[in-house]
Amino acid sequence: MSSLFLKPFLFLYDSSLSLLLLLFNGWSLENPAAAQMRLHAENNAAKSEWKEMQYVWIKTRTLVLIPIFKGLVVLCLVLSIVVFAESFYMNFVILIVKIFRRKPEKVYKWEAMQEEDVEVGPEKYPVVLIQIPMFNEKEVFQLSIASVCSLLWPSSRLVIQVVDDSTDPAVREGVDIEIAKWQSQGINIRCERRDNRDGYKAGAMKEALTHSYVRQCDFVTVFDADFQPEPDYLNRAIPFLVHNPEVALVQARWIFVNANECLMTRMQEMSLNYHFKVEQESGSTRHAFFGFNGTAGVWRLAAIEEAGGWKSRTTVEDMDLAVRVGLHGWKFVYLNDLTVRNELPSKFKAYRFQQHRWSCGPANLFRKMTMEIVYNKRVSLWKKFYVIYSFFFVRKVAVHFLTFFFYCIVVPTSVFFPEIHIPLWSTIYVPCLISIFHTLATPRSFYLVIIWILFENVMAMHRSKGTCIGLLEGGRVNEWVVTEKLGDALKSKLLSKVVQRKSYYERVNSKEVMVGVYILGCALYGMYYGHTWLHFYLFLQAIAFFVSGFGFIGT
């Protein structure tokens, strides 16, 4: 009976041993010695296959990846020299201007509009048209209309157009009420509306110039909806056009009412001050040409008509007009001492859209106009070279690619290629000098230069993407998003109602986060293997991308 009782357990024991043998020796009936030999052969084959993979990787790295990366480094080094030379040249011109005090009033004929002329009669004053283009600008339209209507100029020689493309009924009604208020005070102001938005701002301004009453005007001044000129703006700008028939444009400098709103607006102020005080003034001084900024400028209507008027083929209709007028031989004057207040975008999303338009549009215009500039016979070869090389290629294309691909892609990736040497002058000396050149335009923000560099590198990603879209005419090439303004809400408790908090996931910007993760990985790799000191910079740059990526920037 006991043997019968033990048989089931013996069966289970034998079955378990068989399963364990099959598990560790495979589903075969070979003996243990043969199985051991087979496992040894498989290990040797695996080692051989791994060595072969290592060999293929080493060959690929040596023959493909290193030459490609070395070529990218050389290209970035060349662009570094090009950008530095351009920056040095512009700052040298500004230095000469400051030393010899070459103000526009000394270079061009300028005589003040005499007050006694008003007593004789306003006929000696030219008729000036002022255009205020706007689209649903509910926060700022009252400020801009009030500022323009307060300009010191004979009312009979001033025509104000509110070029309103607004689709919000409340905004349209508010604009009408504001216009009626100023009309009751004797101001010649009117509103021009369309039943479509074809051509956006350029289309609206072009149609507004077709009205019969515009023919009596000599000059046209443009102020975007958030711009607030000083009362003496026309008295200081118009004399350059009156006394110099070869001048087509007088451009004023922007100053910013909300520069201290947040760290992002401080960074914008540094970049835009350099643009105006260095790029615009050096172009005006050396070549009598620069890009119209779309607002705060006075045009000679005859020059606009000669160049073919406003065109909406790109999102930078202002630059398009300036280049075409410049190719007809007209001169431009930039006034650094004449300032107009305006508002910087304080939301990161609004700033991204603005930078996309400001980088995509010039690149697309460069693509469209290069051959037109080359074959032009009205201007000198030197000026054509300046427009193509300096104005377009270096400032609108090369600088964006260099800033992002070199400092955010090539330099971080160099930790994986220690055999490739990137010279210190390209990673330390040249960037430091260029940064100093920029911060000299805003001395009060010099202590923010490190943060400004990191932030500019983040924004260079969007500018590079916009530049590529513009050069290749991609899907978003004609995307136009009006930059959001906050107006009086910036100074009041209404700001919390205008700027509504977003949820955590709505604030996340995936592109910045992905680049931040990559740079962080490069920093950790560089720190672990100790190939380079660059991991200190890489950690800071990764943090800048994460701060922007997770929405902890702007208001």
Side-chain angles (χ1 to χ4, degrees):
M1 289 294 293
S2 59
S3 61
L4 291 174
F5 182 75
L6 291 173
K7 280 183 178 181
F9 292 99
L10 292 173
F11 174 76
L12 290 173
Y13 174 75
D14 292 337
S15 301
S16 300
L17 287 177
S18 300
L19 287 172
L20 290 172
L21 287 172
L22 289 173
L23 178 64
F24 288 103
N25 294 326
W27 296 86
S28 65
L29 299 177
E30 59 185 342
N31 58 51
Q36 187 69 24
M37 292 179 62
R38 181 180 58 78
L39 288 173
H40 183 69
E42 289 178 354
N43 288 335
N44 289 335
K47 290 180 180 178
S48 176
E49 184 178 353
W50 173 247
K51 289 181 178 180
E52 184 177 350
M53 291 175 62
Q54 284 184 313
Y55 176 79
V56 172
W57 164 247
I58 292 172
K59 283 295 183 181
T60 303
R61 189 177 187 274
T62 304
L63 299 178
V64 179
L65 297 181
I66 289 180
I68 291 176
F69 189 75
K70 191 177 293 184
L72 291 175
V73 170
V74 172
L75 176 61
C76 290
L77 294 180
V78 172
L79 289 179
S80 295
I81 296 173
V82 167
V83 172
F84 172 75
E86 178 68 14
S87 181
F88 179 83
Y89 164 75
M90 290 188 297
N91 280 273
F92 178 75
V93 171
I94 298 304
L95 180 63
I96 297 299
V97 170
K98 301 301 181 184
I99 292 175
F100 293 98
R101 298 181 179 180
R102 286 177 52 86
K103 291 189 174 182
E105 289 84 357
K106 295 182 178 180
V107 178
Y108 297 91
K109 184 179 179 181
W110 189 90
E111 295 179 7
M113 307 298 291
Q114 300 297 324
E115 293 184 6
E116 56 266 23
D117 287 348
V118 179
E119 299 177 2
V120 175
E123 287 74 17
K124 290 189 177 182
Y125 281 73
V127 182
V128 179
L129 171 69
I130 297 182
Q131 290 185 318
I132 309 176
M134 60 177 60
F135 175 74
N136 293 337
E137 311 279 2
K138 62 181 179 180
E139 311 296 343
V140 294
F141 72 84
Q142 289 179 317
L143 294 173
S144 60
I145 292 176
S147 297
V148 169
C149 290
S150 301
L151 288 171
L152 299 176
W153 201 258
S155 58
S156 62
R157 313 298 286 176
L158 190 64
V159 181
I160 302 174
Q161 274 186 342
V162 177
V163 185
D164 186 20
D165 267 4
S166 298
T167 55
D168 187 338
V171 175
R172 292 164 70 103
E173 182 180 359
V175 170
D176 291 337
I177 293 173
E178 188 69 15
I179 290 175
K181 181 183 76 174
W182 288 101
Q183 285 176 338
S184 64
Q185 300 180 29
I187 302 297
N188 185 7
I189 181 172
R190 62 190 74 198
C191 183
E192 301 294 349
R193 291 194 175 100
R194 306 183 294 167
D195 56 2
N196 60 74
R197 289 200 69 209
D198 294 344
Y200 300 107
K201 178 181 174 181
M205 296 177 70
K206 182 176 182 178
E207 183 170 319
L209 291 178
T210 61
H211 295 282
S212 58
Y213 60 85
V214 175
R215 297 172 188 170
Q216 64 176 325
C217 302
D218 304 295
F219 310 112
V220 56
T221 307
V222 182
F223 292 112
D224 281 353
D226 59 317
F227 279 72
Q228 305 166 45
E230 297 297 332
D232 64 344
Y233 175 89
L234 293 178
N235 283 301
R236 296 180 61 184
I238 293 295
F240 285 98
L241 295 162
V242 171
H243 301 299
N244 302 277
E246 75 279 9
V247 173
L249 168 66
V250 177
Q251 173 72 57
R253 177 165 62 91
W254 299 0
I255 57 174
F256 313 102
V257 297
N258 65 328
N260 295 323
E261 183 66 23
C262 59
L263 193 59
M264 190 182 79
T265 54
R266 290 289 296 274
M267 302 299 103
Q268 293 179 65
E269 181 191 35
M270 294 173 68
S271 299
L272 287 171
N273 278 349
Y274 178 80
H275 168 69
F276 281 101
K277 294 182 179 182
V278 178
E279 293 180 349
Q280 296 292 74
E281 187 163 11
S282 64
S284 174
T285 301
R286 187 66 186 88
H287 306 280
F289 172 80
F290 50 83
F292 175 46
N293 295 110
T295 179
V298 187
W299 279 99
R300 189 184 299 273
L301 275 169
I304 295 179
E305 294 172 0
E306 183 181 1
W310 294 97
K311 293 185 179 181
S312 57
R313 54 182 174 174
T314 69
T315 56
V316 284
E317 72 294 326
D318 44 10
M319 186 181 296
D320 188 346
L321 178 62
V323 174
R324 285 185 285 111
V325 171
L327 292 178
H328 279 75
W330 292 92
K331 294 182 178 181
F332 299 170
V333 177
Y334 168 74
L335 303 180
N336 189 62
D337 295 333
L338 181 60
T339 59
V340 179
R341 293 168 294 162
N342 75 104
E343 180 183 326
L344 292 166
S346 58
K347 291 185 179 181
F348 186 53
K349 184 177 181 181
Y351 184 53
R352 285 175 57 183
F353 279 125
Q354 182 197 70
Q355 292 304 297
H356 171 82
R357 189 173 76 246
W358 285 6
S359 57
C360 179
N364 191 235
L365 184 63
F366 181 41
R367 170 192 172 112
K368 293 178 183 298
M369 291 203 68
T370 300
M371 298 313 298
E372 183 179 342
I373 297 170
V374 170
Y375 291 120
N376 182 275
K377 297 181 180 180
R378 293 174 178 262
V379 298
S380 65
L381 182 63
W382 171 242
K383 190 167 185 177
K384 288 192 287 187
F385 174 78
Y386 167 75
V387 175
I388 293 176
Y389 171 77
S390 179
F391 181 76
F392 273 119
F393 174 71
V394 179
R395 296 189 223 165
K396 313 302 181 188
V397 178
V399 68
H400 301 324
F401 284 124
L402 172 69
T403 304
F404 176 64
F405 287 106
F406 188 45
Y407 299 111
C408 299
I409 301 296
V410 172
V411 170
T413 308
S414 66
V415 300
F416 302 115
F417 299 95
E419 58 267 65
I420 296 180
H421 174 67
I422 300 179
L424 287 179
W425 62 261
S426 65
T427 56
I428 297 180
Y429 305 131
V430 166
C432 286
L433 286 174
I434 293 176
S435 300
I436 291 173
F437 290 156
H438 276 76
T439 52
L440 286 176
T442 314
R444 78 184 187 98
S445 299
F446 187 81
Y447 69 99
L448 296 173
V449 63
I450 300 299
I451 300 176
W452 175 80
I453 292 171
L454 299 175
F455 179 69
E456 281 293 291
N457 290 347
V458 173
M459 294 311 302
M461 177 181 67
H462 298 286
R463 294 170 185 147
S464 299
K465 182 181 68 173
T467 301
C468 289
I469 292 173
L471 291 174
L472 302 176
E473 290 201 327
R476 293 178 59 196
V477 68
N478 289 318
E479 181 184 59
W480 182 285
V481 178
V482 176
T483 305
E484 184 178 2
K485 295 104 179 175
L486 301 179
D488 283 338
L490 288 167
K491 304 176 184 178
S492 67
K493 297 180 181 179
L494 294 174
L495 183 61
S496 60
K497 297 180 180 180
V498 177
V499 184
Q500 298 178 353
R501 290 188 177 274
K502 296 182 179 180
S503 67
Y504 175 77
Y505 293 105
E506 288 179 324
R507 293 205 315 263
V508 173
N509 303 298
S510 59
K511 298 181 181 66
E512 285 88 344
V513 173
M514 288 189 293
V515 176
V517 168
Y518 176 73
I519 295 178
L520 178 61
C522 294
L524 293 172
Y525 183 91
M527 183 178 65
Y528 181 79
Y529 286 98
H531 292 315
T532 175
W533 55 268
L534 280 175
H535 54 269
F536 294 110
Y537 155 72
L538 297 181
F539 277 121
L540 292 175
Q541 191 61 72
I543 291 172
F545 271 97
F546 286 135
V547 169
S548 302
F550 290 109
F552 297 109
I553 189 170
T555 52

